[in-house]
Amino acid sequence: DVRYARCLELSQQALRGGEPVDLLVWPETMWPFTMGEGQPGQEFMRGFGVDDVEAAEEHFLGPLVAGGPMGVHAARLLIGTIYFRIGPDGRTLTSNSAMYFDRGGRRVGRYDKVILVPGGESIPYARWLPAGLRLWTEELIRGIAGFVVDLEPGPGPLLFDLEGVRLGVTICFEN
């Protein structure tokens, strides 16, 4: 993916620049692969699941974390991604998220976007629409945008800790 390669190149330039880097922040949904959580072997959709997410995370994070090519110059990361998890009812829930990683590449926090773009990330009042009206709305959106996304909003604001500094995150439309 060209966007990932460009972000990786710019991040590596920053890490080689001589000054220590505390935090690298990548744009919304810049991560070239989805992330998620669940049990090994669990699928989010047919043929794609937790094992695929873990393998991609290990592969793509490698160039940026301690032990990778940048070694001790690794920084904490805040990366925009699409995030999957299985809800209590067994449905796959999808969010537009920001993942926070420590210098070793371990997840230390996740913020799920709360204010979703109507029609682009969510179908307003979808849960209350009759099935026929929801289908019509989805087809209208698919005709305009070419796809339908109905993301799950996050629970609310969240602060990450950056060695005693509290860090808040907003994603795109929330600004």
Side-chain angles (χ1 to χ4, degrees):
D1 181 272
V2 172
R3 295 175 309 152
Y4 167 76
R6 182 68 177 143
C7 274
L8 179 60
E9 176 187 334
L10 291 171
S11 296
Q12 289 175 334
Q13 283 177 17
L15 293 170
R16 285 191 300 262
E19 293 292 321
V21 176
D22 288 327
L23 177 67
L24 288 171
V25 179
W26 283 23
E28 176 184 19
T29 63
M30 188 52 61
W31 194 247
F33 208 76
T34 58
M35 292 184 179
E37 63 187 55
Q39 302 301 315
Q42 187 176 45
E43 290 189 346
F44 300 118
M45 58 188 77
R46 192 180 343 206
F48 175 78
V50 172
D51 300 335
D52 302 301
V53 166
E54 289 176 358
E57 197 170 303
E58 184 177 317
H59 173 77
F60 286 111
L61 276 179
L64 294 171
V65 298
M70 299 312 295
V72 296
H73 300 292
R76 290 172 198 85
L77 304 169
L78 186 64
I79 296 176
T81 186
I82 296 299
Y83 196 87
F84 289 121
R85 65 203 172 285
I86 303 299
D89 61 356
R91 282 186 322 121
T92 296
L93 304 175
T94 309
S95 297
N96 183 349
S97 302
M99 290 295 302
Y100 183 43
F101 293 89
D102 68 11
R103 293 179 192 278
R106 289 176 297 278
R107 296 176 180 186
V108 291
R110 183 185 89 237
Y111 168 73
D112 298 326
K113 185 175 180 180
V114 176
I115 303 172
L116 302 175
V117 177
E121 294 177 316
S122 69
I123 299 172
Y125 310 107
R127 290 187 176 98
W128 297 283
L129 293 177
L133 184 54
R134 180 179 171 121
L135 182 61
W136 178 85
T137 303
E138 288 175 357
E139 289 305 313
L140 176 67
I141 293 168
R142 186 174 287 109
I144 294 168
F147 59 91
V148 175
V149 178
D150 197 15
L151 301 179
E152 192 71 22
L158 174 71
L159 295 175
F160 297 125
D161 183 82
L162 179 66
E163 293 182 2
V165 175
R166 294 166 57 109
L167 171 70
V169 175
T170 58
I171 300 174
C172 186
F173 192 66
E174 294 176 322
N175 293 320

